[in-house]
Amino acid sequence: MISNNSLAYHVKRDRSIILIGLLLITLLSWLYIVYLYNQMVYMDMNALFFAMPMTPEWTYVDFILLFLMWLVMMIAMMTPSVTPLVLVFATINRQRKQQDHPFVNVVYLVAGYFLVWAAFSLVATVLQWSLQQVALLNPDMKTTSKILGGIILIATGIFQFTPLKQTCLRHCRSPLDFVLRHWKEGKTGALKMGMENGFYCLGCCWMIMILLFVTGIMNLLWVAIIAVFVLLERLLLQIKWIPYFAGAVLIFYGIFLLIK
């Protein structure tokens, strides 16, 4: 049993370590993405080891590297959004340790969360490969079809108004409520909690991530815009119209793209 002063000290120390760690993860992920972008801009695409293959015949190495590109991109985009959940988990976990409950490292929670996004990255890689097979993706990793682009924009806009989107968003906006309702004991429990929250987060964001096929998968500006939008959706609880406004904009832009 530790004193209240000692508890406050440990909570503060935990939060500092976690924030520094997540900041480093985010920074390193963004640096890797910027590195890939610079390689694509300044090097011959046919000679680029980390870029999308220029022929339909992908090797397993090409596939793995593209999967890693997607996964690192998801880590860069989603780490800021999961930070409030990790901090709440760490605080409650430390308080439970004061009551002689086992202490569980937040790494298990974070690992569970990004296991879900790793699964999404795998699906996105397969989708990218499929689009390239039918010549619907150019070397800039952007769809070549105005019709497909318009449909994706309109579908994503409509998704912003669906009950699924709103239900998942409510879970993502309330990390304390999520932890209290979904608490599970032990390392495996923390891993499962991370996966559960990851599924809610994926349910909230998967269509938005598909927009990258319209804007360009390695378009750094749009990657950053989407990451900021996802974060604001969760943090600005009082401004509930943000998802609806974004949905309306996407629908109108999709229609414009189809008729212009």
Side-chain angles (χ1 to χ4, degrees), residues 161-174:
F161 294 90
T162 61
L164 174 61
K165 165 73 179 190
Q166 299 307 315
T167 299
C168 292
L169 185 57
R170 282 196 298 272
H171 284 279
C172 294
R173 280 177 163 175
S174 306

Side-chain angles (χ1 to χ4, degrees), residues 62-110:
D62 297 324
F63 191 91
I64 291 173
L65 289 173
L66 272 171
F67 165 74
L68 290 176
M69 180 196 76
W70 273 100
L71 179 57
V72 173
M73 189 183 302
M74 293 304 104
I75 292 173
M77 297 172 73
M78 301 310 301
T79 297
S81 294
V82 78
T83 297
L85 173 69
V86 178
L87 292 175
V88 169
F89 176 86
T91 299
I92 294 178
N93 198 30
R94 179 61 69 178
Q95 292 171 343
R96 286 170 57 84
K97 181 176 174 58
Q98 187 181 21
Q99 302 168 355
D100 296 326
H101 290 282
F103 184 80
V104 180
N105 197 302
V106 297
V107 169
Y108 294 95
L109 180 78
V110 176

Side-chain angles (χ1 to χ4, degrees), residues 98-138:
Q98 187 181 21
Q99 302 168 355
D100 296 326
H101 290 282
F103 184 80
V104 180
N105 197 302
V106 297
V107 169
Y108 294 95
L109 180 78
V110 176
Y113 181 83
F114 281 115
L115 273 175
V116 175
W117 284 105
F120 172 81
S121 299
L122 181 61
V123 173
T125 304
V126 173
L127 179 58
Q128 183 175 342
W129 173 82
S130 301
L131 291 175
Q132 186 184 353
Q133 300 307 298
V134 292
L136 286 176
L137 208 64
N138 65 21

Side-chain angles (χ1 to χ4, degrees), residues 2-189:
I2 58 178
S3 67
N4 288 334
N5 288 338
S6 180
L7 174 62
Y9 166 77
H10 282 93
V11 168
K12 184 177 180 180
R13 187 193 64 175
D14 290 346
R15 292 175 66 89
S16 298
I17 293 173
I18 290 168
L19 285 172
I20 292 172
L22 294 178
L23 179 62
L24 285 175
I25 290 172
T26 304
L27 179 61
L28 290 174
S29 299
W30 275 104
L31 286 176
Y32 181 73
I33 295 172
V34 171
Y35 166 76
L36 293 184
Y37 175 78
N38 287 334
Q39 294 285 74
M40 291 177 63
V41 170
Y42 296 113
M43 293 181 63
D44 181 356
M45 289 290 292
N46 288 306
L48 180 55
F49 184 62
F50 287 102
M52 182 181 72
M54 295 300 292
T55 64
E57 293 77 23
W58 284 22
T59 68
Y60 73 92
V61 174
D62 297 324
F63 191 91
I64 291 173
L65 289 173
L66 272 171
F67 165 74
L68 290 176
M69 180 196 76
W70 273 100
L71 179 57
V72 173
M73 189 183 302
M74 293 304 104
I75 292 173
M77 297 172 73
M78 301 310 301
T79 297
S81 294
V82 78
T83 297
L85 173 69
V86 178
L87 292 175
V88 169
F89 176 86
T91 299
I92 294 178
N93 198 30
R94 179 61 69 178
Q95 292 171 343
R96 286 170 57 84
K97 181 176 174 58
Q98 187 181 21
Q99 302 168 355
D100 296 326
H101 290 282
F103 184 80
V104 180
N105 197 302
V106 297
V107 169
Y108 294 95
L109 180 78
V110 176
Y113 181 83
F114 281 115
L115 273 175
V116 175
W117 284 105
F120 172 81
S121 299
L122 181 61
V123 173
T125 304
V126 173
L127 179 58
Q128 183 175 342
W129 173 82
S130 301
L131 291 175
Q132 186 184 353
Q133 300 307 298
V134 292
L136 286 176
L137 208 64
N138 65 21
D140 293 328
M141 302 186 189
K142 182 177 179 180
T143 179
T144 59
S145 170
K146 182 177 70 173
I147 295 176
L148 177 60
I151 291 173
I152 291 174
L153 287 164
I154 293 171
T156 304
I158 293 173
F159 178 72
Q160 292 294 104
F161 294 90
T162 61
L164 174 61
K165 165 73 179 190
Q166 299 307 315
T167 299
C168 292
L169 185 57
R170 282 196 298 272
H171 284 279
C172 294
R173 280 177 163 175
S174 306
L176 177 59
D177 183 67
F178 176 85
V179 171
L180 294 178
R181 288 176 177 270
H182 298 267
W183 184 270
K184 295 177 178 62
E185 297 291 345
K187 297 175 182 178
T188 303

